[in-house]
Amino acid sequence: MAVPRMLWGKYFQYERDGEAVLLDPVSLDSVFIDCGEVHDLAGVPRTATHEALAGLGFTSDGPVADRREALRNRLRLLGLDATPHRISGLRVVLTDRCNMACTYCFVDTNTGKPDMTKEELSEGLEFMFEQNAGQEEVSIQWFGGEPTIRFDLLQYGDRLADTLADRYDVARVRRTVVTNGARLTDEALAHFVAYEYGVGISIDGPPGINSAHRLLLGGQPADDRIRRNVTRFVEAEGLHVGCNLTPTGANIGRLAETVRWIIDDLGLKFIYVNTPIPTAGRWQVNGADLARELYEARLAALGRGGMLFSVLDRAFQALDTRRPMLFDHMQGDRSLNAALLPGNRVSLCDINFTEPSFLHTLDELRADPGRMAGVAKNVAPIPECGNCPALAICGGPSRNEHALVGGTSPDPEMCAFYTSTVEIAVWDNTGVQ
């Protein structure tokens, strides 16, 4: 694995056997350079190679373009529109009640607020299926709090979803549940199997790591119980079971070890690593260290026949496909994942549920679907983004991140994370072969 160098402060030069590729990590354009041209670039006097690269937009004295404008030009060229036109997936927040008290949780739990009602659930699902009449697929993710606390509502919603799929000619309903795994009944397991669920279990590592931030309400660890339930999930036929792993101060420095434990000891082959939520207005981990650890964890997973997905993979995909990966909650068909909350409210940003500017009633969205444009990211909103090689991956802070950090400037650790992520993707020889 060769390490690239920055050229003229704008491009990565990836070299192998005397030849190289120049990569613009913002426009995601690249150009091949043969041995003689690599030698030319190493000299101080201007050469024909400089002239040729300048004509292509490379070199320090080529066409001048702010990185923000270069990215906007790229988006226009690709016809990428950040405005969603329908909601194809709902994260259904059944209750804020939870049997655990995880210190980093971004959801306010056990507040005493009412759970979702059957009527509210019915109206929300009807709205989504209306929006997707004739489509191939919609997705429902059951969420909380701990969603299995309202398993009765989950059952009701799944039966209703099948009825609505027939009514609105939707070919497939994809169902997932995000659970802490600490409670699982035989009835719930049979239901998940019958509907071919994807199950995401939140686990941050072996007991010593997991218990640092994840304890039951009474303060005791639940790791033995969770492990028994993971075994039941894994042994059940027809389920797709994975792990949601959140980087914390307890597992940073040990992510590869944690991944090996999840695969070898728990038998979970798919691991999704959350991008750290900036709780208390800031990141809680070192961004550059996290990027390096994710790469090591990815190799650990692949070496064991597993799969680890994180923002690192967004960088790989962007370089492979030459398409910027900017729109966190958008699907490839410009549809949106949103959150259905109690009270007939929809949060257009499915991560930061209660930011007021994201919240609308179902009636408001029906009357004016254009309100969905309010979640679109304002690409590269601050001047500093114009100097960032990670712009095609990050796009600058989103409106959700603005709300979480309490301002328009991103957390410095977030910037370090995305910049390091792009560098690692280039080291990995992705997209520049």
Side-chain angles (χ1 to χ4, degrees):
M1 181 173 68
V3 177
R5 65 186 180 96
M6 286 295 288
L7 199 62
W8 305 304
K10 297 169 66 177
Y11 312 110
F12 285 113
Q13 181 173 329
Y14 178 88
E15 296 188 29
R16 183 166 56 187
D17 300 327
E19 299 177 329
V21 167
L22 284 186
L23 171 71
D24 183 335
V26 172
S27 69
L28 298 176
D29 292 325
S30 62
V31 61
F32 174 76
I33 307 170
D34 64 26
C35 293
E37 291 168 328
V38 171
H39 180 75
D40 281 348
L41 290 177
V44 176
R46 187 175 179 82
T47 68
T49 301
H50 289 82
E51 299 286 354
L53 291 175
L56 293 171
F58 292 89
T59 79
S60 57
D61 55 355
V64 178
D66 180 270
R67 288 180 187 241
R68 294 167 299 179
E69 193 56 37
L71 180 58
R72 294 187 184 106
N73 289 339
R74 178 69 171 167
L75 296 177
R76 284 192 289 268
L77 179 66
L78 293 173
L80 293 180
D81 185 349
T83 305
H85 61 95
R86 63 186 170 88
I87 293 172
S88 63
L90 283 178
R91 175 182 278 193
V92 183
V93 183
L94 295 173
T95 178
D96 75 11
R97 286 186 283 163
C98 190
N99 55 331
M100 298 189 77
C102 305
T103 59
Y104 57 71
C105 189
F106 61 94
V107 180
D108 290 331
T109 57
N110 298 312
T111 65
K113 293 178 180 177
D115 295 346
M116 187 171 287
T117 67
K118 281 188 176 181
E119 292 73 23
E120 291 167 349
L121 178 57
S122 298
E123 290 187 38
L125 292 180
E126 179 99 30
F127 169 79
M128 182 177 69
F129 279 92
E130 282 175 9
Q131 293 246 310
N132 292 275
Q135 296 291 333
E136 285 296 312
E137 181 179 274
V138 298
S139 63
I140 301 172
Q141 182 185 85
W142 301 107
F143 202 80
E146 170 53 42
T148 60
I149 289 174
R150 287 308 310 269
F151 176 65
D152 59 319
L153 269 183
L154 185 152
Q155 280 182 302
Y156 172 80
D158 278 333
R159 291 192 294 266
L160 177 61
D162 282 350
T163 300
L164 293 171
D166 290 340
R167 182 184 306 166
Y168 289 99
D169 192 28
V170 173
R172 179 171 180 259
V173 181
R174 183 161 53 90
R175 297 168 167 91
T176 59
V177 61
V178 177
T179 175
N180 56 43
R183 59 194 314 274
L184 177 65
T185 65
D186 292 341
E187 183 184 16
L189 183 61
H191 179 87
F192 296 145
V193 169
Y195 283 92
E196 299 180 332
Y197 260 67
V199 179
I201 305 172
S202 299
I203 301 173
D204 296 338
I209 292 176
N210 199 53
S211 298
H213 294 277
R214 301 178 55 80
L215 296 168
L216 293 170
L217 289 180
Q220 67 272 35
D223 295 279
D224 290 345
R225 186 188 311 177
I226 292 170
R227 185 166 180 162
R228 287 195 299 271
N229 287 336
V230 167
T231 299
R232 296 177 67 196
F233 276 123
V234 170
E235 291 177 349
E237 293 186 9
L239 290 182
H240 309 279
V241 190
C243 171
N244 293 318
L245 170 62
T246 299
T248 70
N251 59 26
I252 288 295
R254 302 176 65 182
L255 282 185
E257 171 194 340
T258 291
V259 165
R260 287 190 287 269
W261 181 83
I262 289 170
I263 294 174
D264 294 344
D265 286 53
L266 294 185
L268 300 178
K269 297 294 189 181
F270 179 84
I271 302 170
Y272 179 83
V273 183
N274 298 311
T275 302
I277 302 296
T279 54
R282 63 184 181 86
W283 273 38
Q284 306 295 306
V285 297
N286 179 284
D289 288 348
L290 174 59
R292 287 190 292 270
E293 284 205 51
L294 285 177
Y295 184 72
E296 295 169 0
R298 181 177 186 268
L299 296 182
L302 292 173
R304 284 164 165 72
M307 180 183 298
L308 183 144
F309 186 84
S310 72
V311 174
L312 193 64
D313 295 86
R314 286 174 54 190
F316 295 159
Q317 291 169 13
L319 293 174
D320 276 341
T321 63
R322 297 297 193 266
R323 291 172 63 89
M325 306 286 286
L326 299 180
F327 310 124
D328 293 341
H329 308 293
M330 291 265 288
Q331 307 303 307
D333 60 358
R334 286 180 57 209
S335 65
L336 183 70
N337 284 331
L340 180 67
L341 309 182
N344 283 335
R345 298 173 301 157
V346 171
S347 175
L348 295 176
C349 181
D350 69 343
I351 298 301
N352 191 12
F353 299 137
T354 55
E355 165 59 31
S357 62
F358 297 138
L359 292 177
H360 300 284
T361 66
L362 294 173
D363 288 341
E364 287 172 340
L365 291 174
R366 279 194 177 98
D368 181 11
R371 291 176 185 268
M372 283 189 283
V375 78
K377 176 180 281 192
N378 180 14
V379 174
I382 59 174
E384 290 83 351
C385 293
N387 298 315
C388 183
L391 194 54
I393 313 302
C394 168
S398 67
R399 291 184 62 243
N400 177 54
E401 289 157 349
H402 291 175
L404 289 169
V405 302
T408 58
S409 296
D411 187 293
E413 297 296 352
M414 185 181 88
C415 295
F417 172 69
Y418 282 105
T419 301
S420 301
T421 291
V422 172
E423 292 174 356
I424 289 169
V426 180
W427 300 345
D428 196 55
N429 196 21
T430 300
V432 291
Q433 300 175 22

